[in-house]
Amino acid sequence: MEKELKYEWNLSYRIEHWVRVLAIAVLVLTGFYIHSPFMGGGPESYTMAWMNFFHTLSAYALLLGLIVRIYMAFNSSFDRDWQDFGLIRNLKAAPEMLGYYLFLKSSYERARKYDALQAIAYPFIGIVIIFQVMTGAALYKGRLFGFINSSESFRWVSTMLGGESYTRIWHYLAMWVVIIFAGVHIYFSLLRTVTFRDKTFTSMFNGYKLKRKTS
Amino acid sequence: MGEKHLVSEQFLDALEFRGLSRRDFLKFCGATSALLGLSELYTPQVASAIEKASKRPPVVWLNFASDSGCTESLIKATYPNAADLVLDILSIDYNETIMAAAGKQAEEVLAKSLKDGRYILIIEGGVPTKKGHGMIAGKEMIDILKDFSGPAAAIIAVGSCATFGGVPSANPNPSQIVGVSEALKKTGVNKAVINLDLCPVNVEYLVGVVVNYLLLGSLPELDSFGRPKMFYGRIIHDNCERRAHFDAGRFVEQFGSKEETMGYCLYKMGCKGPMTSSECPKVRYNDKINWCIGAGAPCIGCAEQGWPDKFARFYERLPGVKIPGFGGIETTADKIGAVAAAATAAGIAIHAVASASSGRTKDKEKEEGK
Ligand code: SF4
Ligand code: SF4
């Protein structure tokens, strides 16, 4: 089977990915602090104020990054990949892939770019991000983008979740979903790299992945 | 002074006779205009509105399911306080708890007000919606509410019981108590209710709304919970005197600690200030003597809908989580997160070992799957 190095991720895809990684890392760290402040501030410090500031800042980055990513899926000059995420097709292909990873099957059908479980997980995480943005906006007491009165405009979110305390709980638990996703995501990229020797892991740094020759 | 044209000497004399100096009265009018977001220049207008009020827009104060704490907050002042007197002047025609008349006499006053109409209806207490659970003189509270809300010029629900049910509506709520606006919806009366949510109501808010009504003849602008924006437009946290400690990250970790004596922020002691909108830090209670956080207690969120159930526990930041299907096991969000993460980590570790021992990672022929 002939293989070739394929340019899988162009610069904009990679930048978008790493901006999200950074945003999530900052959000999780500052979020933990806001949830339960784990260091005390001294007489001249602004610990909580900075945590809040960077939390909000990264939230904007995460939201705008997602919007850019969705735009790219439909209108990228490099790779419009929105068709890869068809839910029904991927759900049909998922059991086989799951079977492979549970050692019940020896192989599974590989997709063009995202295998079934990936193509299900990524949009799901997109939804989780939207959920985080909405619950975050409901908890935020300032003006979004400088002019949307967020707590009034997003009060319906809190009402739906049963009050602001519960919005906080959901916001916190959804963060764990993101953390767990990140862990599994990194594990799978490493596992694939080791199993298939296709340079999955480094492809998000330099863009190149080893793939079957198509033509 | 300008106000001379607007307030009569006679009225000021009458106030003086009742123990309120004209100086204090004007000071109070100034404070009220500030509270209403008006400039100092409006003080004379406020004073004159109050004087005009002494010519009686009748107030009917009805008590439903509550502990009369709001009435207490209204009348319990250590010395004749201005807000108190003004509400006196407003001629509360009927208030079961504090009126001198009783029995038939009282009922007559009430019947007369009802007939005359155009009164300000103030309601204290939640409304039981279960039949037979809340009756006055053999009449269901909800029916009394219905009868009185029709001819009222304005309806003001005071305190958290009347606004959204409050303490009497707390779980398990056997009498199915709801707030006034909810009860009115049930009876099919379509009327705006001004919700002065707090436990107990802050008298200055009440006076503010009433004076605002007398001045402008209109009701204040309300937020999505029916609370006047002028009193519920900002969260406690944004006006709190301990905010500097919050921003700095200086928190009380335990009551009775050194941090507590230093007046550090009460966030970690369960303070609900960041999610509660009210002007408590500025208006304060009992003639501005103090307020919850000033007295060292975390805000418990009594100005919000869903209080107290959705704000319990008062000394913890987040409520416990009931896991459905596990016999009502209650846990914390932290535990759920930690357990899920640990399970994932364990899953990954097991899978990694299994992958390695299955030989998948070694078999180069298997590259690319199929
Ligand atoms: S005590 Fe409460 S309201 Fe005040 S700064 Fe701390 S968290 Fe905010
Ligand atoms: S500070 Fe909080 S608990 Fe105290 S009266 Fe105001 S809203 Fe209620």
Side-chain angles (χ1 to χ4, degrees):
Chain A
M1 203 180 292
E2 262 200 277
K3 298 271 193 84
E4 65 177 354
L5 272 179
K6 232 189 107 204
Y7 195 42
E8 185 98 328
W9 310 108
N10 76 344
L11 195 60
S12 30
Y13 272 100
R14 278 178 280 148
I15 290 177
E16 193 280 323
H17 176 265
W18 290 110
V19 165
R20 181 174 308 151
V21 170
L22 189 66
I24 289 176
V26 173
L27 280 162
V28 166
L29 178 81
T30 54
F32 268 120
Y33 187 82
I34 295 164
H35 173 68
S36 172
F38 45 78
M39 2 177 227
E44 293 285 317
S45 66
Y46 289 98
T47 321
M48 180 58 101
W50 281 118
M51 294 284 178
N52 266 317
F53 173 75
F54 283 114
H55 196 76
T56 317
L57 190 73
S58 319
Y60 280 117
L62 192 67
L63 172 65
L64 297 176
L66 182 68
I67 292 171
V68 168
R69 179 63 181 85
I70 292 170
Y71 173 81
M72 273 156 56
F74 289 95
N75 219 357
S76 156
S77 59
F78 174 71
D79 185 9
R80 294 171 201 183
D81 54 5
W82 62 275
Q83 281 169 324
D84 294 350
F85 295 105
L87 188 63
I88 294 167
R89 177 163 44 82
N90 284 309
L91 279 177
K92 274 192 198 137
E96 201 194 6
M97 187 172 171
L98 215 53
Y100 169 77
Y101 278 111
L102 291 176
F103 306 100
L104 302 172
K105 284 192 154 63
S106 60
S107 65
Y108 68 96
E109 187 73 54
R110 307 292 292 277
R112 181 188 81 95
K113 198 167 183 179
Y114 311 101
D115 289 338
L117 293 181
Q118 283 176 289
I120 293 167
Y122 296 166
F124 171 71
I125 282 303
I127 291 168
V128 174
I129 289 175
I130 291 170
F131 178 80
Q132 289 300 61
V133 168
M134 306 254 264
T135 47
L139 297 172
Y140 186 57
K141 302 295 173 197
R143 293 192 174 261
L144 292 172
F145 297 104
F147 65 93
I148 302 168
N149 181 342
S150 72
S151 55
E152 277 281 318
S153 312
F154 286 85
R155 183 163 283 157
W156 59 273
V157 178
S158 286
T159 310
M160 229 164 63
L161 296 176
E164 226 177 283
S165 304
Y166 295 91
T167 309
R168 265 168 226 279
I169 289 182
W170 282 111
H171 193 71
Y172 177 76
L173 290 179
M175 172 201 69
W176 279 107
V177 174
V178 176
I179 294 177
I180 288 169
F181 164 79
V184 174
H185 181 61
I186 296 168
Y187 172 66
F188 269 85
S189 72
L190 286 170
L191 185 70
R192 284 178 78 121
T193 310
V194 178
T195 319
F196 304 143
R197 294 184 166 69
D198 62 354
K199 301 188 189 298
T200 298
F201 193 75
T202 45
S203 73
M204 207 25 92
F205 295 93
N206 58 23
Y208 287 96
K209 201 166 165 175
L210 208 52
K211 284 203 146 180
R212 220 180 324 186
K213 227 178 183 138
T214 37
S215 50
Chain B
M1 268 159 86
E3 62 266 21
K4 284 232 172 78
H5 308 295
L6 292 157
V7 191
S8 70
E9 283 297 321
Q10 215 183 349
F11 180 64
L12 292 173
D13 284 345
L15 285 180
E16 211 140 356
F17 178 70
R18 300 173 80 163
L20 183 69
S21 75
R22 56 185 68 197
R23 205 188 130 92
D24 279 346
F25 174 66
L26 291 177
K27 226 161 81 190
F28 163 75
C29 293
T32 305
S33 22
L35 204 61
L36 296 173
L38 302 170
S39 95
E40 232 178 284
L41 295 172
Y42 277 87
T43 308
Q45 267 90 339
V46 170
S48 111
I50 292 170
E51 188 191 358
K52 286 208 194 90
S54 67
K55 293 173 192 115
R56 342 212 91 199
V59 172
V60 173
W61 182 301
L62 296 180
N63 284 74
F64 294 142
S66 78
D67 67 347
S68 302
C70 293
T71 306
E72 281 286 311
S73 128
L74 173 72
I75 58 174
K76 273 277 162 71
T78 41
Y79 52 92
N81 111 334
D84 205 10
L85 273 180
V86 166
L87 282 172
D88 243 6
I89 290 158
L90 288 185
S91 131
I92 298 190
D93 283 354
Y94 181 84
N95 182 326
E96 284 153 359
T97 320
I98 55 176
M99 71 196 298
K104 192 157 172 282
Q105 234 179 334
E107 294 300 318
E108 269 165 17
V109 177
L110 192 57
K112 185 176 175 301
S113 304
L114 183 59
K115 216 179 88 225
D116 295 347
R118 306 297 303 163
Y119 45 81
I120 298 174
L121 180 62
I122 299 179
I123 294 166
E124 173 184 4
V127 187
T129 56
K130 197 155 180 199
K131 276 241 147 20
H133 273 235
M135 306 222 269
I136 300 171
K139 214 169 157 194
E140 290 279 344
M141 284 174 177
I142 191 160
D143 295 330
I144 300 176
L145 173 68
K146 191 181 173 189
D147 292 347
F148 275 88
S149 55
I155 305 175
I156 307 176
V158 299
S160 54
C161 307
T163 51
F164 303 115
V167 173
S169 77
N171 198 25
N173 196 5
S175 307
Q176 289 161 20
I177 287 172
V178 296
V180 170
S181 25
E182 181 90 28
L184 284 182
K185 233 183 266 160
K186 279 201 166 91
T187 55
V189 178
N190 191 12
K191 247 187 159 156
V193 177
I194 302 169
N195 283 328
L196 297 182
D197 201 0
L198 274 179
C199 185
V201 70
N202 196 318
V203 188
E204 314 215 5
Y205 287 12
L206 182 56
V207 172
V209 169
V210 173
V211 171
N212 185 72
Y213 176 73
L214 298 172
L215 260 182
L216 305 170
S218 66
L219 305 179
E221 205 187 332
L222 305 177
D223 71 3
S224 53
F225 283 146
R227 306 175 299 184
K229 278 188 181 162
M230 56 185 171
F231 302 132
Y232 296 90
R234 291 186 291 183
I235 51 171
I236 305 269
H237 186 61
D238 282 351
N239 284 318
C240 178
E241 60 225 26
R242 303 194 182 205
R243 178 58 185 265
H245 291 305
F246 174 87
D247 283 343
R250 295 187 290 263
F251 301 100
V252 177
E253 308 269 345
Q254 215 185 353
F255 285 122
S257 62
K258 199 176 113 237
E259 286 75 21
E260 194 198 351
T261 61
M262 315 254 281
Y264 282 4
C265 168
L266 296 163
Y267 185 65
K268 290 178 95 168
M269 304 312 294
C271 183
K272 306 292 188 295
M275 50 194 273
T276 306
S277 302
S278 178
E279 293 289 336
C280 306
K282 294 188 80 184
V283 180
R284 304 179 150 209
Y285 275 87
N286 303 339
D287 296 329
K288 299 198 192 298
I289 289 174
N290 211 344
W291 67 298
C292 311
I293 291 173
C299 167
I300 57 175
C302 75
E304 289 293 321
Q305 191 218 33
W307 184 85
D309 278 355
K310 285 177 177 158
F311 289 75
R313 306 156 182 152
F314 293 158
Y315 296 111
E316 266 160 48
R317 269 210 61 235
L318 294 176
V321 184
K322 281 214 174 65
I323 303 180
F326 281 83
I329 289 180
E330 207 174 298
T331 179
T332 63
D334 288 295
K335 278 193 196 130
I336 298 177
V339 167
T344 312
I348 288 177
I350 292 166
H351 195 270
V353 171
S355 298
S357 51
S358 73
R360 264 184 195 178
T361 53
K362 295 205 186 67
D363 189 356
K364 280 187 186 167
E365 294 310 308
K366 280 264 171 66
E367 283 169 29
E368 276 295 300
K370 254 176 203 169

